[in-house]
Amino acid sequence: MNRSTAFPVALTGSRDRVQMWADETEVEQAALQQLRRVAALPWVHGVRVMPDVHVGKGATIGSVIAMNQAVSPSAVGVDIGCGVAAVRTSIRADQLVDLDLLRASVESAIPVGFNAHDELPKLRRFGMEAGVDKLFGRFGSLDEKVQKLKSKAVGQLGTLGGGNHFLELCLDQEDRVWITLHSGSRNIGKTLADRHISIAKSLSHNRGLVDRELAVFLEGTPQMDAYKHDLWWAQEYAAASRALMLALFKNAVVNHFEALHVQFDAPINVHHNYVNEEQIDGRNLLVTRKGAIRAGAGDLALIPGSMGTGSYVVRGRGNPGSYFSASHGAGRRMSRSQAKRMYSANDLAQQTTGIECRKDAGVVDEIPAAYKDIHQVIEAQKDLVEVVGHLRTILCVKG
């Protein structure tokens, strides 16, 4: 990333509707083409591109799209409500012991990959019973095609999944221990997203689109109402799932460091795949952030890098030029398949030296080299966020 470039810059061929906090020459052509196609949609007010930008399905990851009385489900992504959570603990670096045993305890408490909880009642001891019951009490109002998935959705609440999702223990610059995690809405969010994307593609006003993946719903229609209803539920589910995992993680930490009487600060819990109704340039618009966070003035957030480079805790500057947004992470610089072709388990072990984590072939696609340099990504958006601190990963759980 060219640090000498003054951001933002307009994307060529976008009629200045796309403003980028990234060097166009360093972004894949497929991603640039996606951005131009989004900007050409008649409902789009503008597009803002974050420094972690890379190609996605339908809409680009690392993009913020403001639309007038319309929304594209693909501009949200299939992992509705995906986001991160973080909390600082009272533990100091010199008090850390037996991280291998702690990782085993966390993996036992929080199902990863395709695993799920056997039952939900045992999880309600963390004071979330009323919220959980209310959340699933509304399940019958969701799209009828997902009704059979209720038991699966219940079991997957408070579970990690796979891919780039993680549970981490980190150290800040004062050697204080942090708990961080990254997760989404699991299978139920993907199913709802796929269902509504399919419905949007069938609508007559979308039939002339160059890319039908960008099909939109229009305000005031029953299809839009149904999508927003399910969307808000999935975003709430994802946030509740992170809160539950954080509680389970904290419980594992408390039990592991029982003699320390561990204390925790207030948590950070933010979406980076979601829709919000906001005022942009003096207009009430629907804003989709796909791989981007809200960075309003004073907003605290976490911007993770990779399992070898840690994360940044940031505070939003409230820059209206970016639609009050910032990047959601480092962003991939190569696909998962490319990473698997280029790197081995030995490479992964070398790049994660000193970190208690999986180092096998099953997570080679998450190797740090597959991601952009998180430090450069943060540098490129100094006008969007203020750095509160850098967190160095010491333990990482992957699905």
Side-chain angles (χ1 to χ4, degrees), residues 1 3 51 303-306 308-312 329-330 372-382 387 390-392:
M1 188 173 295
R3 299 188 186 188
I303 301 180
S306 68
T309 58
S311 305
Y312 278 89
K372 298 178 183 179
D373 186 319
I374 183 61
H375 310 299
Q376 292 185 16
V377 167
I378 294 294
E379 177 71 16
Q381 54 187 324
K382 291 190 299 183
V387 172
H390 177 246
L391 308 182
R392 177 172 58 86

Short mmCIF file of all heavy atoms in Angstrom, two decimals, residues 1 3 51 303-306 308-312 329-330 372-382 387 390-392:
data_model
loop_
_atom_site.label_atom_id
_atom_site.label_comp_id
_atom_site.label_asym_id
_atom_site.label_seq_id
_atom_site.Cartn_x
_atom_site.Cartn_y
_atom_site.Cartn_z
N MET A 1 0.84 -1.19 0.00
CA MET A 1 0.00 0.00 0.00
C MET A 1 0.88 1.25 0.00
O MET A 1 1.79 1.36 0.80
CB MET A 1 -0.93 -0.01 1.21
CG MET A 1 -1.97 1.08 1.20
SD MET A 1 -3.15 0.85 2.56
CE MET A 1 -3.95 -0.69 2.10
N ARG A 3 1.92 4.52 1.00
CA ARG A 3 1.62 5.41 2.11
C ARG A 3 1.67 6.87 1.72
O ARG A 3 1.16 7.72 2.45
CB ARG A 3 2.61 5.14 3.26
CG ARG A 3 2.55 3.73 3.81
CD ARG A 3 3.41 3.59 5.03
NE ARG A 3 3.47 2.22 5.50
CZ ARG A 3 4.03 1.85 6.64
NH1 ARG A 3 4.58 2.74 7.41
NH2 ARG A 3 4.06 0.58 6.99
N PRO A 51 -9.48 0.36 3.22
CA PRO A 51 -8.16 -0.12 2.79
C PRO A 51 -8.00 -1.64 2.83
O PRO A 51 -7.00 -2.15 2.31
CB PRO A 51 -7.20 0.56 3.78
CG PRO A 51 -8.02 0.97 4.93
CD PRO A 51 -9.38 1.24 4.40
N ILE A 303 -10.29 -3.79 15.16
CA ILE A 303 -9.93 -4.09 13.77
C ILE A 303 -8.86 -5.18 13.81
O ILE A 303 -7.70 -4.90 14.10
CB ILE A 303 -9.42 -2.86 13.02
CG1 ILE A 303 -10.48 -1.75 13.01
CG2 ILE A 303 -9.01 -3.22 11.60
CD1 ILE A 303 -10.05 -0.48 12.28
N PRO A 304 -9.25 -6.45 13.57
CA PRO A 304 -8.27 -7.54 13.65
C PRO A 304 -7.43 -7.67 12.39
O PRO A 304 -7.84 -7.27 11.30
CB PRO A 304 -9.16 -8.77 13.85
CG PRO A 304 -10.45 -8.41 13.21
CD PRO A 304 -10.61 -6.93 13.37
N GLY A 305 -6.23 -8.23 12.58
CA GLY A 305 -5.37 -8.52 11.44
C GLY A 305 -5.47 -9.98 11.08
O GLY A 305 -6.47 -10.42 10.50
N SER A 306 -4.47 -10.78 11.43
CA SER A 306 -4.51 -12.22 11.20
C SER A 306 -4.07 -12.91 12.48
O SER A 306 -3.71 -12.25 13.46
CB SER A 306 -3.57 -12.61 10.06
OG SER A 306 -2.21 -12.41 10.45
N GLY A 308 -1.47 -14.12 13.28
CA GLY A 308 -0.09 -13.87 13.65
C GLY A 308 0.23 -12.42 13.92
O GLY A 308 1.33 -12.12 14.40
N THR A 309 -0.70 -11.52 13.63
CA THR A 309 -0.38 -10.09 13.73
C THR A 309 -1.23 -9.34 14.74
O THR A 309 -1.02 -8.15 14.96
CB THR A 309 -0.54 -9.41 12.36
OG1 THR A 309 -1.89 -9.60 11.89
CG2 THR A 309 0.42 -10.00 11.36
N GLY A 310 -2.21 -9.98 15.35
CA GLY A 310 -3.00 -9.32 16.36
C GLY A 310 -4.04 -8.36 15.82
O GLY A 310 -4.43 -8.45 14.65
N SER A 311 -4.49 -7.44 16.66
CA SER A 311 -5.59 -6.54 16.35
C SER A 311 -5.30 -5.14 16.85
O SER A 311 -4.41 -4.93 17.66
CB SER A 311 -6.89 -7.05 17.00
OG SER A 311 -7.18 -8.37 16.63
N TYR A 312 -6.11 -4.19 16.37
CA TYR A 312 -6.05 -2.81 16.85
C TYR A 312 -7.38 -2.44 17.51
O TYR A 312 -8.45 -2.68 16.94
CB TYR A 312 -5.78 -1.83 15.71
CG TYR A 312 -4.32 -1.70 15.33
CD1 TYR A 312 -3.76 -2.54 14.36
CD2 TYR A 312 -3.50 -0.75 15.93
CE1 TYR A 312 -2.42 -2.43 14.01
CE2 TYR A 312 -2.16 -0.63 15.58
CZ TYR A 312 -1.63 -1.47 14.62
OH TYR A 312 -0.30 -1.36 14.29
N GLY A 329 -10.91 -5.13 9.12
CA GLY A 329 -9.76 -5.97 9.42
C GLY A 329 -8.65 -5.68 8.43
O GLY A 329 -8.63 -4.63 7.79
N ALA A 330 -7.72 -6.63 8.31
CA ALA A 330 -6.63 -6.45 7.34
C ALA A 330 -7.11 -6.70 5.93
O ALA A 330 -6.69 -6.03 4.98
CB ALA A 330 -5.47 -7.40 7.69
N LYS A 372 -3.43 -8.92 4.12
CA LYS A 372 -2.69 -7.67 3.95
C LYS A 372 -2.04 -7.28 5.28
O LYS A 372 -2.40 -7.80 6.34
CB LYS A 372 -3.64 -6.56 3.48
CG LYS A 372 -4.28 -6.83 2.12
CD LYS A 372 -5.25 -5.73 1.73
CE LYS A 372 -5.93 -6.03 0.40
NZ LYS A 372 -6.90 -4.99 0.01
N ASP A 373 -1.09 -6.38 5.20
CA ASP A 373 -0.38 -5.90 6.39
C ASP A 373 -1.32 -5.01 7.20
O ASP A 373 -1.70 -3.92 6.78
CB ASP A 373 0.86 -5.12 5.94
CG ASP A 373 1.74 -4.70 7.11
OD1 ASP A 373 1.19 -4.28 8.16
OD2 ASP A 373 2.97 -4.77 6.98
N ILE A 374 -1.72 -5.48 8.39
CA ILE A 374 -2.69 -4.74 9.20
C ILE A 374 -2.16 -3.38 9.60
O ILE A 374 -2.92 -2.41 9.71
CB ILE A 374 -3.08 -5.56 10.46
CG1 ILE A 374 -4.14 -4.83 11.28
CG2 ILE A 374 -1.86 -5.88 11.30
CD1 ILE A 374 -5.44 -4.56 10.58
N HIS A 375 -0.84 -3.25 9.78
CA HIS A 375 -0.27 -1.97 10.19
C HIS A 375 -0.42 -0.93 9.07
O HIS A 375 -0.73 0.23 9.32
CB HIS A 375 1.19 -2.15 10.57
CG HIS A 375 1.43 -3.28 11.53
ND1 HIS A 375 0.87 -3.31 12.79
CD2 HIS A 375 2.15 -4.43 11.39
CE1 HIS A 375 1.23 -4.44 13.41
NE2 HIS A 375 2.01 -5.13 12.57
N GLN A 376 -0.22 -1.36 7.83
CA GLN A 376 -0.41 -0.45 6.69
C GLN A 376 -1.89 -0.11 6.49
O GLN A 376 -2.23 1.02 6.13
CB GLN A 376 0.16 -1.08 5.42
CG GLN A 376 1.68 -1.19 5.42
CD GLN A 376 2.23 -1.70 4.10
OE1 GLN A 376 1.54 -1.69 3.09
NE2 GLN A 376 3.47 -2.15 4.11
N VAL A 377 -2.75 -1.08 6.75
CA VAL A 377 -4.19 -0.83 6.64
C VAL A 377 -4.63 0.24 7.65
O VAL A 377 -5.41 1.14 7.32
CB VAL A 377 -4.98 -2.14 6.84
CG1 VAL A 377 -6.46 -1.87 7.05
CG2 VAL A 377 -4.78 -3.07 5.65
N ILE A 378 -4.12 0.16 8.85
CA ILE A 378 -4.44 1.17 9.87
C ILE A 378 -3.86 2.53 9.48
O ILE A 378 -4.50 3.58 9.61
CB ILE A 378 -3.90 0.72 11.25
CG1 ILE A 378 -4.64 -0.53 11.73
CG2 ILE A 378 -4.02 1.85 12.26
CD1 ILE A 378 -6.10 -0.33 12.02
N GLU A 379 -2.64 2.52 8.97
CA GLU A 379 -1.98 3.77 8.56
C GLU A 379 -2.79 4.49 7.48
O GLU A 379 -2.87 5.73 7.47
CB GLU A 379 -0.58 3.46 8.04
CG GLU A 379 0.21 4.65 7.52
CD GLU A 379 0.65 5.62 8.60
OE1 GLU A 379 0.64 5.23 9.79
OE2 GLU A 379 1.01 6.75 8.25
N ALA A 380 -3.39 3.72 6.57
CA ALA A 380 -4.14 4.31 5.45
C ALA A 380 -5.43 4.99 5.88
O ALA A 380 -6.01 5.76 5.11
CB ALA A 380 -4.44 3.24 4.41
N GLN A 381 -5.89 4.73 7.10
CA GLN A 381 -7.18 5.30 7.53
C GLN A 381 -7.03 6.12 8.81
O GLN A 381 -7.91 6.14 9.66
CB GLN A 381 -8.20 4.18 7.71
CG GLN A 381 -7.78 3.06 8.64
CD GLN A 381 -8.75 1.90 8.64
OE1 GLN A 381 -9.97 2.07 8.53
NE2 GLN A 381 -8.23 0.69 8.76
N LYS A 382 -5.90 6.81 8.93
CA LYS A 382 -5.66 7.65 10.10
C LYS A 382 -6.70 8.76 10.25
O LYS A 382 -6.93 9.25 11.35
CB LYS A 382 -4.26 8.26 10.05
CG LYS A 382 -3.13 7.27 10.23
CD LYS A 382 -1.79 7.96 10.40
CE LYS A 382 -1.44 8.80 9.19
NZ LYS A 382 -0.09 9.42 9.32
N VAL A 387 -5.99 5.30 16.86
CA VAL A 387 -5.53 4.05 17.47
C VAL A 387 -5.51 4.21 19.00
O VAL A 387 -4.87 5.10 19.54
CB VAL A 387 -4.13 3.67 16.96
CG1 VAL A 387 -3.59 2.48 17.76
CG2 VAL A 387 -4.19 3.31 15.48
N HIS A 390 -2.53 -1.42 20.22
CA HIS A 390 -2.30 -2.61 19.41
C HIS A 390 -2.28 -3.83 20.31
O HIS A 390 -1.64 -3.82 21.37
CB HIS A 390 -0.98 -2.51 18.64
CG HIS A 390 -0.66 -3.74 17.84
ND1 HIS A 390 0.41 -4.57 18.14
CD2 HIS A 390 -1.29 -4.29 16.78
CE1 HIS A 390 0.43 -5.57 17.26
NE2 HIS A 390 -0.59 -5.43 16.44
N LEU A 391 -2.98 -4.90 19.91
CA LEU A 391 -3.04 -6.14 20.66
C LEU A 391 -2.24 -7.21 19.95
O LEU A 391 -2.45 -7.45 18.76
CB LEU A 391 -4.50 -6.60 20.83
CG LEU A 391 -5.50 -5.58 21.39
CD1 LEU A 391 -6.86 -6.23 21.54
CD2 LEU A 391 -5.02 -5.03 22.73
N ARG A 392 -1.36 -7.86 20.67
CA ARG A 392 -0.52 -8.93 20.12
C ARG A 392 -1.09 -10.28 20.52
O ARG A 392 -1.29 -10.58 21.70
CB ARG A 392 0.92 -8.77 20.64
CG ARG A 392 1.88 -9.87 20.19
CD ARG A 392 3.30 -9.51 20.59
NE ARG A 392 3.46 -9.29 22.01
CZ ARG A 392 3.71 -10.27 22.90
NH1 ARG A 392 3.80 -11.53 22.47
NH2 ARG A 392 3.86 -10.01 24.18
#
